[in-house]
Amino acid sequence: QVQLVESGGGLVQAGDSLRLSCAASGRPFTGYAFGWFRQAPGKEREFVAGISGSGEYKYYADSVKGRVAISRDNVNYMVYLQMNTLKPEDAAVYYCGARQGYHSRYDALSAASRYDYWGQGTQVTVSS
């Protein structure tokens, strides 16, 4: 069983930056790939970024590419999402997901249905 706890969300203005954090309890930590997804009211959960167990492979949704960076700290069991130049359309609840196994392909990391564990989410609100 893996527990994920997200933090770092909040209310920001367009153009600001935020760093979301996800604390994970799963061991071995490198045996899990992680992803960040978001869900706005009335919309489906959508992929934002994914990272493989080693951290070597990273993928981003086209809508955030160039503005967002995913990273992981395999010593402290943390996953991060640095978001820059935030836009009002980035507003959503952001979820951290964990998928057990050694996955490195885009299709393995970008599909929410393939994730085994989820956190409770952290709200990001962007004012224009």
Side-chain angles (χ1 to χ4, degrees):
Q1 187 74 14
V2 174
Q3 290 187 328
L4 304 173
V5 180
E6 302 98 332
S7 61
L11 171 62
V12 297
Q13 292 186 332
D16 285 351
S17 298
L18 272 179
R19 188 177 81 155
L20 305 184
S21 300
C22 174
S25 64
R27 303 292 183 268
F29 187 70
T30 54
Y32 292 86
F34 288 89
W36 284 97
F37 291 73
R38 65 188 183 187
Q39 189 166 17
K43 296 188 177 181
E44 294 186 355
R45 190 169 297 191
E46 66 172 0
F47 172 72
V48 177
I51 188 167
S52 62
S54 66
E56 180 179 0
Y57 299 94
K58 302 177 183 180
Y59 301 101
Y60 300 96
D62 288 341
S63 60
V64 302
K65 200 170 292 183
R67 300 188 294 119
V68 165
I70 188 171
S71 61
R72 60 187 295 160
D73 180 347
N74 287 345
V75 174
N76 295 304
Y77 313 128
M78 297 290 295
V79 182
Y80 301 102
L81 185 71
Q82 177 67 44
M83 301 191 294
N84 301 319
T85 319
L86 282 161
K87 303 176 181 180
E89 52 262 42
D90 293 319
V93 178
Y94 282 71
Y95 295 92
C96 175
R99 182 180 181 188
Q100 191 169 9
Y102 298 93
H103 306 286
S104 60
R105 292 166 53 97
Y106 174 82
D107 58 351
L109 298 177
S110 62
S113 61
R114 296 186 177 186
Y115 280 74
D116 303 302
Y117 305 100
W118 294 96
Q120 83 290 347
T122 186
Q123 177 73 50
V124 173
T125 304
V126 184
S127 64
S128 57

